């Protein structure tokens, strides 16, 4: 059954155009600044600020709760929509682990690379060892890295099972905090969630046509204990349990 197409009110289209033009102008400003700053900053701050700016233009308003993360942190977050990336990057400066399908889209691949995105083939079990090495290298290079262990977006009212294969990167003596993060869009969650077979463009246009802002509260939950990090499956279970417990309070 096809996903029901969202309807955009007539007055929403001028807002969509205005926001897209503003994003294009921000990109035109940030690209030269990025390349000028590369020799002077290993952490590449401009792409993170660009993502934060895109979120603001799209109507995203972010608040944070809980313990602020350390500079080097591995985040495990629930996944609701593409706005998750804008909110987290702007708040923490994190890079992301993404499915390699995104790497097939030229302009998107270029933008992701600017933000140090790690592309992985989630369904290729033969390459897990290489992907784990990629994740460890990215953590050392970027300082903060986020993975969405559900592997896809949900409707935000619950958390899908966490896939654990890439969490092998945090096993052993790799001493970087592993911190669960709950992304909470409040009562608007169902309206902004990108789920099912809905085309990404339809979801993006519907959000850009909103007059009301999208409120996101990022809950930084306590980092996992050494016991919870004993192995990848325990990590996945502990992080998901922490997010579900925060959602229930």
């Amino acid at each position: 059954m096809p996903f029901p197409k969202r309807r955009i009110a007539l007055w929403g289209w001028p807002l969509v155009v205005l926001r897209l033009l503003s994003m294009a102008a921000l990109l035109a400003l940030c690209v030269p600044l990025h390349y000028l700053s590369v020799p002077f900053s290993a952490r590449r701050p401009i792409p993170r600020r660009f993502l934060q700016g895109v979120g603001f233009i799209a109507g995203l308003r972010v608040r944070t709760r809980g313990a602020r993360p350390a500079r080097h942190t591995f985040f495990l977050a629930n996944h609701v929509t593409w706005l998750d990336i804008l909110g987290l990057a702007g708040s923490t400066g994190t890079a992301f682990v993404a499915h390699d399908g995104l790497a097939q889209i030229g302009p998107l691949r270029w933008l992701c690379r600017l933000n140090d995105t790690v592309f992985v083939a989630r369904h290729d079990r033969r390459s897990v060892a290489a992907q784990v090495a990629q994740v460890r290298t990215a953590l050392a290079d970027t300082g903060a890295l986020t993975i969405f262990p559900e592997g896809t977006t949900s409707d935000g009212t619950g958390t899908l099972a966490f896939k654990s294969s890439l969490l092998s990167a945090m096993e052993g003596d790799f001493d970087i905090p592993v911190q669960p993060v709950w992304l909470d869009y409040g009562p608007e969650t169902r309206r902004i969630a990108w789920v099912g077979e809905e085309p990404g463009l339809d979801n993006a246009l519907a959000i850009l046509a909103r007059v009301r802002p999208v409120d996101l509260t990022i809950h930084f939950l306590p980092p996992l204990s050494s016991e919870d990090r004993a192995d990848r499956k325990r990590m996945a279970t502990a992080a998901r349990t922490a997010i579900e417990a925060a959602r229930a309070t």
Side-chain angles (χ1 to χ4, degrees):
M1 180 178 176
F3 191 93
K5 190 175 180 64
R6 300 189 190 222
R7 295 181 179 274
I8 297 178
L10 185 61
W11 59 82
W13 288 108
L15 187 55
V16 170
V17 172
L18 177 61
R19 283 175 163 161
L20 289 176
L21 290 175
S22 299
M23 291 176 187
L26 181 63
L27 180 62
L29 172 66
C30 287
V31 168
L33 288 177
H34 165 70
Y35 286 112
L36 287 171
S37 69
V38 166
F40 307 102
S41 176
R43 298 199 69 193
R44 301 187 181 185
I46 301 300
R48 277 69 159 175
R49 293 294 170 244
F50 168 72
L51 292 175
Q52 185 180 39
V54 169
F56 185 83
I57 292 169
L60 187 64
R61 302 295 179 263
V62 179
R63 295 178 297 176
T64 61
R65 297 286 185 272
R68 294 295 298 173
R71 178 181 175 185
H72 286 79
T73 305
F74 190 57
F75 298 111
L76 305 180
N78 62 307
H79 199 11
V80 181
T81 174
W82 53 278
L83 294 173
D84 301 345
I85 294 168
L86 308 180
L88 272 171
S91 298
T92 68
T94 183
F96 296 88
V97 177
H99 191 279
D100 61 354
L102 292 177
Q104 308 307 313
I105 306 172
L108 188 56
R109 178 178 67 247
W110 173 67
L111 287 172
C112 289
R113 288 294 189 193
L114 292 182
N115 195 49
D116 301 315
T117 299
V118 178
F119 292 109
V120 298
R122 293 183 185 272
H123 302 297
D124 186 359
R125 293 185 176 276
R126 296 169 298 178
S127 65
V128 168
Q131 292 170 12
V132 166
Q134 277 184 277
V135 169
R136 286 199 169 200
T137 299
L139 275 166
D141 290 345
T142 65
L145 191 65
T146 297
I147 187 171
F148 299 110
E150 292 167 293
T152 185
T153 52
S154 72
D155 65 3
T157 60
T159 309
L160 305 176
F162 277 13
K163 298 176 173 61
S164 65
S165 59
L166 291 180
L167 302 189
S168 301
M170 306 309 297
E171 291 180 333
D173 59 353
F174 202 59
D175 190 23
I176 287 181
V178 178
Q179 188 167 14
V181 177
W182 173 34
L183 303 175
D184 174 23
Y185 290 89
E188 291 289 288
T189 298
R190 286 185 179 273
R191 292 182 180 273
I192 62 92
W194 177 18
V195 293
E197 299 179 5
E198 181 183 21
L201 181 60
D202 288 358
N203 180 273
L205 290 175
I207 289 175
L208 294 179
R210 286 173 56 100
V211 175
R212 295 171 56 188
V214 177
D215 294 318
L216 167 62
T217 302
I218 302 177
H219 298 264
F220 294 105
L221 306 179
L224 299 185
S225 67
S226 56
E227 291 79 10
D228 287 333
R229 293 182 56 174
D231 58 66
R232 61 185 177 84
K233 291 188 177 180
R234 192 176 300 184
M235 261 186 276
T237 299
R240 182 172 184 264
T241 298
I243 292 172
E244 285 293 283
R247 192 195 305 275
T249 58

